[in-house]
Amino acid sequence: MRRVVVVGGGLAGLRTAESLRSNGFAGPITVVGDEPHLPYNRPPLSKEALRNGIEVEALSFRRKASVEDVTWLLGTAAAACDLAARTVTLDDGRVLEFDGLVVASGIRPRCLPIPGPAGGRTMLRTVTDAEALRPRLSPGVHVVIMGAGFIGCETAATARALGAEVAVVALDEQPMIRPLGADLGAAMRRRHEHHGVHFHLGHTIESFAGDDRVHSATLSDGTELPADVVIEAVGSVPNVAWLDGNGLDLSDGVVVDSAMQVATDIAPVVAAGDIARHPNALFGPVPRRIEHWNMPTETGRRAGQTLAALLAGDEPDHGPFAAMPSFWSDQYDHSLQSFGMPGLATRVVLADGDLDGPCIVEYHDASGLVGVVGVDRTRETGSYRGQLMGRSDP
Amino acid sequence: MTVRITIGFQCEGYGQCCYEAEDLFQLGDKPPVRAPAEVDESRRADVERAADVCPMQAITVE
């Protein structure tokens, strides 16, 4: 019986395991997860779970009956992989043999080397991170958030709702500038400022001061900010080190083809989720990692289909992969929703409404519409999806 | 055989389910998404896909 090892116990690992089953693979599947929990939903960790309380059971994904027989090795990470020997070595020394491998080890938050004490600095990626952070977000506490992307901005909104004093420090000119563009980013900044968030944009943190815990942060312009809690949300790093030594391109995640197959003839390997740098027929041949919530499900389905075919001795479907990137974000009582890849745009058009109120913003490049973002306009934003899907037509 | 669909109180009306099975899931106001309580077994795969993509994981399929 052929065996599959899935490295990564998040949504991508779960969806790939489910897809292996729905595509006829009946052999043993072992999923290795570095966290002690079964796959769970991360977006609430910066929003409702951080605000209202964290129960990992409530965050857990429902697992289809087809994966009830999967072996979950949790609280342990993959340390190394030998594709020629078809083994994965775990950090506790165990060695797992496989016939097919799924790379779904995801990403971790980037940690910038900044002088000063480490105490009081935290990331927000896992349930454990959120559980540690939540009791510290209380009225009057000074919170400094590094980074003005989605996690930084959502966390800023939640920390304000919990009564904390919030400053956001980021090198970008506007919050969420890459996905939203400068104008909508500026409008979102105004919404945050209306709720009492202070932005220090175009700056970095040069150093932290304090004994064993941070009590203040000094910015590149010399400003000193009180800082009881520092939340670091300055991007992510793919977890690829365990794949070293196998001749794979690991320069930014793992490169895959449209079937989510990793380019190697040593062993059958697929990748899914945040780590998979994949082509998308909707947006040209350039392979990209897309850290949106819906991509692990989309790439996992395809990866499972491909690996099931490879293990059955069949040719996988190498036809185009065309999945619609989609994100949403809730900040205060505002709901942002997007389809496509607005970050590719060279021209941004306010299609309807007012940037400081409900609105629809279109994103275009030379090929036409590449993305849409709506603020408090879910239904109208959704009506653009069909038009964007049409980009895959020959 | 039928498939039972339940949309939980967590539903925020993101509408992702609607794109997986447009004829079954429809955006409304209250509740934010409407779906039939039961559909034929032949639609199970569509309903499961819709449940998979729900950001709030609000859809139960039995």
Side-chain angles (χ1 to χ4, degrees):
Chain A
M1 189 72 97
R2 288 168 177 266
R3 300 148 299 178
V4 168
V5 168
V6 179
V7 175
L11 180 54
L14 173 63
R15 292 290 184 248
T16 308
E18 290 173 343
S19 174
L20 279 160
R21 288 286 185 253
S22 65
N23 285 285
F25 177 75
I29 300 176
T30 301
V31 181
V32 178
D34 59 351
E35 292 181 67
H37 309 294
L38 286 161
Y40 63 87
N41 203 18
R42 295 188 196 280
L45 297 180
S46 54
K47 301 188 281 282
E48 54 270 30
L50 189 60
R51 190 170 61 241
N52 302 330
I54 298 142
E55 289 175 52
V56 68
E57 295 76 16
L59 295 173
S60 291
F61 289 111
R62 287 189 200 93
R63 298 178 302 282
K64 295 188 179 65
S66 63
V67 293
E68 270 173 9
D69 61 350
V70 162
T71 302
W72 298 89
L73 298 180
L74 301 175
T76 180
C81 174
D82 183 337
L83 286 185
R86 300 195 178 186
T87 58
V88 170
T89 303
L90 306 185
D91 58 6
D92 60 13
R94 276 182 288 182
V95 176
L96 307 178
E97 298 181 344
F98 65 81
D99 300 287
L101 178 67
V102 178
V103 176
S105 45
I107 54 177
R108 64 182 182 279
R110 184 184 305 280
C111 182
L112 300 176
I114 297 173
R121 293 176 61 175
T122 182
M123 312 285 188
L124 186 50
R125 171 77 183 161
T126 66
V127 157
T128 308
D129 294 335
E131 282 172 337
L133 177 60
R134 187 176 140 68
R136 297 169 57 204
L137 296 178
S138 49
V141 163
H142 289 276
V143 176
V144 171
I145 296 174
M146 296 168 59
F150 286 114
I151 293 174
C153 288
E154 289 172 356
T155 308
T158 303
R160 283 300 296 148
L162 293 169
E165 300 298 323
V166 178
V168 174
V169 181
L171 205 47
D172 301 323
E173 291 163 51
Q174 299 294 347
M176 302 171 281
I177 189 166
R178 266 162 287 180
L180 302 187
D183 292 345
L184 185 54
M188 290 307 299
R189 174 177 50 75
R190 291 191 288 273
R191 287 176 171 88
H192 278 273
E193 287 171 342
H194 174 74
H195 284 88
V197 173
H198 297 275
F199 283 89
H200 300 267
L201 299 171
H203 297 295
T204 54
I205 293 179
E206 297 285 289
S207 63
F208 294 112
D211 296 326
D212 52 341
R213 295 184 67 83
V214 173
H215 67 65
S216 68
T218 303
L219 309 192
S220 43
D221 66 349
T223 304
E224 193 170 312
L225 297 176
D228 303 307
V229 178
V230 177
I231 301 169
E232 302 178 53
V234 287
S236 55
V237 184
N239 293 318
V240 292
W242 64 279
L243 287 164
D244 278 346
N246 291 291
L248 304 179
D249 177 353
L250 304 175
S251 51
D252 177 22
V254 180
V255 179
V256 294
D257 63 15
S258 62
M260 303 303 136
Q261 188 173 357
V262 177
T264 176
D265 48 16
I266 306 173
V269 186
V270 295
D274 292 334
I275 201 169
R277 184 147 62 98
H278 61 276
N280 187 331
L282 299 176
F283 300 100
V286 179
R288 300 182 181 92
R289 295 193 309 105
I290 301 179
E291 295 177 9
H292 294 341
W293 183 88
N294 74 318
M295 295 315 290
T297 292
E298 300 280 359
T299 54
R301 283 175 188 161
R302 187 64 174 264
Q305 183 192 336
T306 295
L307 190 55
L310 290 167
L311 294 173
D314 298 331
E315 185 61 27
D317 173 7
H318 284 280
F321 175 76
M324 182 59 62
S326 173
F327 67 76
W328 81 95
S329 179
D330 293 322
Q331 295 168 34
Y332 311 103
D333 51 355
H334 300 294
S335 172
L336 281 80
Q337 194 161 18
S338 169
F339 294 102
M341 296 200 63
L344 298 179
T346 50
R347 190 166 64 90
V348 181
V349 179
L350 174 63
D352 195 26
D354 176 338
L355 288 176
D356 288 304
C359 60
I360 303 270
V361 181
E362 295 178 358
Y363 297 80
H364 298 262
D365 74 358
S367 71
L369 185 74
V370 289
V372 62
V373 176
V375 182
D376 299 324
R377 296 286 291 273
T378 299
R379 201 174 317 188
E380 295 87 341
T381 310
S383 69
Y384 279 84
R385 190 178 184 277
Q387 190 185 340
L388 286 161
M389 280 307 286
R391 292 177 54 86
S392 64
D393 290 344
Chain B
M1 284 274 282
T2 56
V3 180
R4 288 181 54 199
I5 305 171
T6 313
I7 299 179
F9 64 91
Q10 310 94 317
C11 174
E12 291 275 358
Y14 291 110
Q16 300 288 336
C17 52
C18 306
Y19 310 115
E20 296 289 339
E22 275 176 283
D23 60 324
L24 299 181
F25 294 87
Q26 265 121 34
L27 275 173
D29 288 317
K30 287 180 184 173
V33 170
R34 291 172 190 280
E38 286 190 351
V39 295
D40 188 75
E41 182 66 26
S42 64
R43 303 300 306 275
R44 179 176 290 276
D46 294 328
V47 174
E48 284 190 344
R49 280 215 315 276
D52 284 352
V53 299
C54 172
M56 302 305 293
Q57 294 290 290
I59 303 172
T60 310
V61 183
E62 292 162 292

